[in-house]
CSV table of all heavy atoms in Angstrom, one decimal:
chain,number,residue,atom,x,y,z
A,433,ASN,N,30.8,0.1,-40.3
A,433,ASN,CA,29.3,0.0,-40.6
A,433,ASN,C,28.7,1.4,-40.4
A,433,ASN,O,27.8,1.8,-41.1
A,433,ASN,CB,28.6,-1.0,-39.7
A,433,ASN,CG,28.7,-2.4,-40.3
A,433,ASN,OD1,29.2,-2.6,-41.4
A,433,ASN,ND2,28.3,-3.4,-39.5
A,434,LEU,N,29.1,2.1,-39.3
A,434,LEU,CA,28.5,3.4,-39.0
A,434,LEU,C,28.9,4.4,-40.0
A,434,LEU,O,28.1,5.2,-40.4
A,434,LEU,CB,28.9,3.8,-37.6
A,434,LEU,CG,28.6,2.9,-36.4
A,434,LEU,CD1,29.0,3.4,-35.1
A,434,LEU,CD2,27.1,2.6,-36.4
A,437,ASN,N,27.3,3.7,-43.5
A,437,ASN,CA,25.9,4.1,-43.4
A,437,ASN,C,25.7,5.6,-43.6
A,437,ASN,O,24.9,6.1,-44.3
A,437,ASN,CB,25.2,3.6,-42.2
A,437,ASN,CG,24.7,2.2,-42.3
A,437,ASN,OD1,24.7,1.6,-43.3
A,437,ASN,ND2,24.2,1.7,-41.2
A,438,ALA,N,26.6,6.3,-42.8
A,438,ALA,CA,26.5,7.8,-42.8
A,438,ALA,C,26.7,8.3,-44.2
A,438,ALA,O,26.0,9.2,-44.7
A,438,ALA,CB,27.5,8.4,-41.8
A,439,ILE,N,27.7,7.7,-44.9
A,439,ILE,CA,28.0,8.1,-46.3
A,439,ILE,C,26.8,7.7,-47.2
A,439,ILE,O,26.3,8.6,-48.0
A,439,ILE,CB,29.3,7.5,-46.8
A,439,ILE,CG1,30.5,8.0,-46.0
A,439,ILE,CG2,29.5,7.8,-48.3
A,439,ILE,CD1,31.8,7.3,-46.2
A,440,HIS,N,26.4,6.5,-47.1
A,440,HIS,CA,25.3,6.0,-48.0
A,440,HIS,C,24.0,6.8,-47.8
A,440,HIS,O,23.4,7.1,-48.8
A,440,HIS,CB,25.0,4.6,-47.6
A,440,HIS,CG,25.8,3.6,-48.4
A,440,HIS,ND1,26.2,2.3,-47.9
A,440,HIS,CD2,26.4,3.6,-49.6
A,440,HIS,CE1,26.9,1.7,-48.7
A,440,HIS,NE2,27.1,2.5,-49.8
A,441,TYR,N,23.6,7.1,-46.6
A,441,TYR,CA,22.3,7.8,-46.4
A,441,TYR,C,22.4,9.3,-46.5
A,441,TYR,O,21.4,10.0,-46.4
A,441,TYR,CB,21.7,7.3,-45.0
A,441,TYR,CG,21.4,5.8,-45.1
A,441,TYR,CD1,22.1,4.9,-44.5
A,441,TYR,CD2,20.3,5.4,-45.9
A,441,TYR,CE1,21.8,3.5,-44.6
A,441,TYR,CE2,19.9,4.1,-46.0
A,441,TYR,CZ,20.7,3.1,-45.3
A,441,TYR,OH,20.4,1.8,-45.4
A,442,SER,N,23.6,9.9,-46.6
A,442,SER,CA,23.7,11.3,-46.8
A,442,SER,C,23.5,11.7,-48.3
A,442,SER,O,23.9,10.9,-49.1
A,442,SER,CB,25.1,11.8,-46.3
A,442,SER,OG,25.2,11.8,-45.0
A,465,ASP,N,25.6,12.5,-39.6
A,465,ASP,CA,25.5,12.7,-41.0
A,465,ASP,C,24.3,13.7,-41.3
A,465,ASP,O,23.6,14.1,-40.3
A,465,ASP,CB,25.2,11.4,-41.7
A,465,ASP,CG,23.9,10.7,-41.3
A,465,ASP,OD1,22.8,11.4,-41.3
A,465,ASP,OD2,23.9,9.5,-40.9
A,467,GLY,N,21.9,13.0,-43.4
A,467,GLY,CA,21.0,12.2,-44.2
A,467,GLY,C,19.5,12.5,-43.9
A,467,GLY,O,19.2,13.6,-43.2
A,468,PRO,N,18.6,11.7,-44.3
A,468,PRO,CA,17.2,12.0,-44.1
A,468,PRO,C,16.7,11.9,-42.7
A,468,PRO,O,15.6,12.3,-42.4
A,468,PRO,CB,16.5,10.9,-45.0
A,468,PRO,CG,17.5,9.7,-45.0
A,468,PRO,CD,18.8,10.4,-44.9
A,469,GLY,N,17.5,11.3,-41.8
A,469,GLY,CA,17.0,11.1,-40.4
A,469,GLY,C,16.2,9.8,-40.3
A,469,GLY,O,15.8,9.3,-41.3
A,470,ILE,N,16.0,9.4,-39.1
A,470,ILE,CA,15.2,8.2,-38.8
A,470,ILE,C,14.0,8.5,-38.0
A,470,ILE,O,14.1,9.2,-36.9
A,470,ILE,CB,16.1,7.2,-38.1
A,470,ILE,CG1,17.4,6.9,-38.9
A,470,ILE,CG2,15.4,5.9,-37.8
A,470,ILE,CD1,18.5,6.3,-38.2
A,478,ILE,N,15.9,-0.1,-35.6
A,478,ILE,CA,16.9,-0.2,-36.6
A,478,ILE,C,18.1,-1.2,-36.2
A,478,ILE,O,18.8,-1.6,-37.1
A,478,ILE,CB,17.5,1.1,-37.0
A,478,ILE,CG1,18.0,1.9,-35.8
A,478,ILE,CG2,16.6,2.0,-37.8
A,478,ILE,CD1,18.8,3.1,-36.1
A,479,PHE,N,18.2,-1.5,-34.9
A,479,PHE,CA,19.2,-2.5,-34.5
A,479,PHE,C,18.7,-3.9,-34.6
A,479,PHE,O,19.5,-4.8,-34.3
A,479,PHE,CB,19.7,-2.2,-33.1
A,479,PHE,CG,20.2,-0.8,-32.9
A,479,PHE,CD1,19.5,0.3,-32.4
A,479,PHE,CD2,21.5,-0.5,-33.5
A,479,PHE,CE1,20.0,1.6,-32.3
A,479,PHE,CE2,22.0,0.8,-33.4
A,479,PHE,CZ,21.3,1.8,-32.8
A,480,GLU,N,17.4,-4.1,-35.0
A,480,GLU,CA,16.9,-5.5,-35.2
A,480,GLU,C,17.4,-6.0,-36.5
A,480,GLU,O,17.7,-5.2,-37.4
A,480,GLU,CB,15.4,-5.4,-35.2
A,480,GLU,CG,14.8,-5.2,-33.9
A,480,GLU,CD,13.3,-5.0,-34.0
A,480,GLU,OE1,12.7,-5.3,-35.1
A,480,GLU,OE2,12.7,-4.5,-33.0
A,482,PHE,N,17.5,-7.4,-40.1
A,482,PHE,CA,16.8,-7.3,-41.3
A,482,PHE,C,15.8,-6.1,-41.3
A,482,PHE,O,14.9,-6.0,-42.1
A,482,PHE,CB,16.1,-8.6,-41.7
A,482,PHE,CG,17.0,-9.7,-42.0
A,482,PHE,CD1,17.1,-10.8,-41.2
A,482,PHE,CD2,17.9,-9.6,-43.1
A,482,PHE,CE1,18.0,-11.8,-41.4
A,482,PHE,CE2,18.8,-10.7,-43.3
A,482,PHE,CZ,18.9,-11.8,-42.5
A,483,TYR,N,15.8,-5.3,-40.2
A,483,TYR,CA,14.8,-4.2,-40.2
A,483,TYR,C,15.4,-3.0,-41.1
A,483,TYR,O,16.6,-2.7,-40.9
A,483,TYR,CB,14.6,-3.7,-38.8
A,483,TYR,CG,13.6,-2.5,-38.7
A,483,TYR,CD1,12.3,-2.8,-38.8
A,483,TYR,CD2,14.1,-1.2,-38.7
A,483,TYR,CE1,11.4,-1.7,-38.8
A,483,TYR,CE2,13.2,-0.2,-38.7
A,483,TYR,CZ,11.8,-0.4,-38.8
A,483,TYR,OH,11.0,0.7,-38.8
A,484,ARG,N,14.5,-2.5,-41.9
A,484,ARG,CA,14.9,-1.4,-42.7
A,484,ARG,C,13.8,-0.3,-42.6
A,484,ARG,O,12.6,-0.7,-42.7
A,484,ARG,CB,15.1,-1.8,-44.2
A,484,ARG,CG,16.3,-2.6,-44.4
A,484,ARG,CD,16.2,-3.1,-45.8
A,484,ARG,NE,17.4,-3.7,-46.3
A,484,ARG,CZ,17.6,-4.9,-46.8
A,484,ARG,NH1,16.5,-5.6,-46.9
A,484,ARG,NH2,18.7,-5.3,-47.3
A,485,VAL,N,14.2,0.9,-42.4
A,485,VAL,CA,13.2,2.0,-42.3
A,485,VAL,C,12.4,2.1,-43.6
A,485,VAL,O,11.2,2.1,-43.6
A,485,VAL,CB,13.9,3.3,-41.9
A,485,VAL,CG1,12.9,4.5,-41.8
A,485,VAL,CG2,14.7,3.2,-40.6
A,486,ASN,N,13.2,2.2,-44.7
A,486,ASN,CA,12.5,2.4,-46.0
A,486,ASN,C,13.1,1.3,-46.9
A,486,ASN,O,14.2,1.4,-47.3
A,486,ASN,CB,12.8,3.8,-46.5
A,486,ASN,CG,12.2,4.1,-47.8
A,486,ASN,OD1,12.0,3.1,-48.6
A,486,ASN,ND2,11.9,5.3,-48.1
A,489,ARG,N,14.7,2.3,-50.3
A,489,ARG,CA,15.9,3.2,-50.2
A,489,ARG,C,17.0,2.4,-49.7
A,489,ARG,O,18.1,2.5,-50.2
A,489,ARG,CB,15.6,4.4,-49.3
A,489,ARG,CG,16.6,5.4,-49.3
A,489,ARG,CD,16.3,6.5,-48.2
A,489,ARG,NE,16.6,6.0,-46.9
A,489,ARG,CZ,16.1,6.5,-45.8
A,489,ARG,NH1,15.2,7.4,-45.9
A,489,ARG,NH2,16.5,6.0,-44.7
A,490,SER,N,16.8,1.5,-48.7
A,490,SER,CA,17.8,0.7,-48.1
A,490,SER,C,18.4,-0.3,-49.1
A,490,SER,O,19.6,-0.5,-49.1
A,490,SER,CB,17.3,0.0,-46.8
A,490,SER,OG,16.9,1.0,-46.0
A,491,ARG,N,17.5,-0.9,-49.8
A,491,ARG,CA,18.0,-1.9,-50.8
A,491,ARG,C,18.9,-1.3,-51.8
A,491,ARG,O,19.8,-1.9,-52.3
A,491,ARG,CB,16.8,-2.6,-51.5
A,491,ARG,CG,16.3,-3.8,-50.7
A,491,ARG,CD,15.2,-4.5,-51.5
A,491,ARG,NE,14.2,-5.0,-50.6
A,491,ARG,CZ,14.3,-6.0,-49.8
A,491,ARG,NH1,15.4,-6.7,-49.8
A,491,ARG,NH2,13.3,-6.4,-49.0
A,493,THR,N,20.9,1.0,-51.4
A,493,THR,CA,22.3,1.1,-50.9
A,493,THR,C,23.1,-0.2,-50.9
A,493,THR,O,24.3,-0.2,-50.7
A,493,THR,CB,22.3,1.6,-49.4
A,493,THR,OG1,21.7,0.6,-48.6
A,493,THR,CG2,21.5,2.9,-49.3
A,494,GLY,N,22.4,-1.3,-51.2
A,494,GLY,CA,23.0,-2.6,-51.3
A,494,GLY,C,23.2,-3.2,-50.0
A,494,GLY,O,23.8,-4.3,-49.9
A,495,GLY,N,22.6,-2.6,-48.9
A,495,GLY,CA,22.8,-3.2,-47.6
A,495,GLY,C,21.9,-4.5,-47.4
A,495,GLY,O,21.0,-4.7,-48.1
A,496,THR,N,22.3,-5.2,-46.4
A,496,THR,CA,21.6,-6.5,-46.1
A,496,THR,C,20.6,-6.3,-45.0
A,496,THR,O,19.7,-7.2,-44.7
A,496,THR,CB,22.6,-7.6,-45.6
A,496,THR,OG1,23.3,-7.1,-44.5
A,496,THR,CG2,23.5,-8.0,-46.7
A,497,GLY,N,20.6,-5.2,-44.3
A,497,GLY,CA,19.7,-4.9,-43.2
A,497,GLY,C,20.3,-5.6,-41.9
A,497,GLY,O,19.6,-5.6,-40.9
A,498,LEU,N,21.6,-6.0,-42.0
A,498,LEU,CA,22.2,-6.6,-40.8
A,498,LEU,C,23.3,-5.7,-40.2
A,498,LEU,O,23.8,-6.0,-39.2
A,498,LEU,CB,22.8,-8.0,-41.2
A,498,LEU,CG,21.8,-9.1,-41.4
A,498,LEU,CD1,22.5,-10.3,-41.9
A,498,LEU,CD2,21.0,-9.4,-40.2
A,499,GLY,N,23.6,-4.7,-40.9
A,499,GLY,CA,24.8,-3.8,-40.5
A,499,GLY,C,24.7,-3.3,-39.1
A,499,GLY,O,25.7,-3.5,-38.3
A,500,LEU,N,23.6,-2.7,-38.7
A,500,LEU,CA,23.5,-2.2,-37.4
A,500,LEU,C,23.3,-3.2,-36.3
A,500,LEU,O,23.7,-3.1,-35.2
A,500,LEU,CB,22.3,-1.2,-37.3
A,500,LEU,CG,22.6,0.2,-38.1
A,500,LEU,CD1,21.3,1.1,-38.0
A,500,LEU,CD2,23.8,0.9,-37.5
A,501,ALA,N,22.7,-4.3,-36.7
A,501,ALA,CA,22.5,-5.5,-35.8
A,501,ALA,C,23.9,-6.0,-35.4
A,501,ALA,O,24.2,-6.3,-34.3
A,501,ALA,CB,21.7,-6.6,-36.4
A,502,ILE,N,24.8,-6.1,-36.4
A,502,ILE,CA,26.1,-6.6,-36.2
A,502,ILE,C,26.9,-5.6,-35.3
A,502,ILE,O,27.5,-5.9,-34.4
A,502,ILE,CB,26.9,-6.8,-37.5
A,502,ILE,CG1,26.3,-8.0,-38.2
A,502,ILE,CG2,28.4,-7.0,-37.3
A,502,ILE,CD1,26.8,-8.3,-39.6
A,518,SER,N,18.3,11.0,-33.7
A,518,SER,CA,18.0,11.4,-35.1
A,518,SER,C,16.7,12.3,-35.2
A,518,SER,O,15.8,12.1,-34.3
A,518,SER,CB,17.8,10.2,-35.9
A,518,SER,OG,17.7,10.5,-37.3
A,523,GLY,N,19.1,14.8,-40.2
A,523,GLY,CA,20.3,13.8,-40.1
A,523,GLY,C,20.3,13.0,-38.8
A,523,GLY,O,19.3,13.1,-38.0
A,524,SER,N,21.3,12.2,-38.7
A,524,SER,CA,21.4,11.2,-37.5
A,524,SER,C,22.8,11.3,-36.9
A,524,SER,O,23.7,11.6,-37.6
A,524,SER,CB,21.1,9.8,-38.0
A,524,SER,OG,20.0,9.7,-38.9
A,526,PHE,N,25.0,8.5,-34.6
A,526,PHE,CA,25.2,7.3,-34.0
A,526,PHE,C,26.3,7.4,-32.9
A,526,PHE,O,27.3,7.9,-33.2
A,526,PHE,CB,25.5,6.2,-35.0
A,526,PHE,CG,24.3,5.7,-35.8
A,526,PHE,CD1,23.9,6.4,-36.9
A,526,PHE,CD2,23.5,4.6,-35.3
A,526,PHE,CE1,22.8,6.0,-37.6
A,526,PHE,CE2,22.4,4.2,-36.1
A,526,PHE,CZ,22.0,4.9,-37.2
B,638,ADP,P1,21.3,-1.6,-44.2
B,638,ADP,O1,22.2,-2.7,-44.7
B,638,ADP,O2,20.0,-1.7,-44.9
B,638,ADP,O3,21.9,-0.3,-44.3
B,638,ADP,P2,21.6,-1.4,-41.4
B,638,ADP,O4,21.4,-2.4,-40.4
B,638,ADP,O5,23.0,-0.8,-41.5
B,638,ADP,O6,21.1,-2.0,-42.7
B,638,ADP,O7,20.6,-0.2,-41.1
B,638,ADP,C1,19.2,-0.6,-40.8
B,638,ADP,C2,18.4,0.6,-41.3
B,638,ADP,O8,18.6,1.7,-40.6
B,638,ADP,C3,18.7,1.0,-42.7
B,638,ADP,O9,17.9,0.2,-43.6
B,638,ADP,C4,18.2,2.4,-42.8
B,638,ADP,O10,16.8,2.5,-43.1
B,638,ADP,C5,18.5,2.9,-41.4
B,638,ADP,N1,19.7,3.6,-41.2
B,638,ADP,C6,20.9,3.2,-40.8
B,638,ADP,N2,21.8,4.1,-40.8
B,638,ADP,C7,21.2,5.3,-41.2
B,638,ADP,C8,21.6,6.6,-41.3
B,638,ADP,N3,22.9,7.0,-41.1
B,638,ADP,N4,20.7,7.5,-41.7
B,638,ADP,C9,19.4,7.1,-42.0
B,638,ADP,N5,19.0,5.9,-41.8
B,638,ADP,C10,19.9,4.9,-41.5
Side-chain angles (χ1 to χ4, degrees):
N433 278 351
L434 302 182
N437 272 354
I439 296 170
H440 273 151
Y441 293 104
S442 285
D465 62 53
I470 302 163
I478 51 170
F479 301 103
E480 288 174 14
F482 298 112
Y483 180 79
R484 288 170 165 127
V485 178
N486 180 332
R489 191 185 74 201
S490 301
R491 269 183 221 284
T493 65
T496 56
L498 289 175
L500 287 179
I502 290 176
S518 184
S524 315
F526 283 85

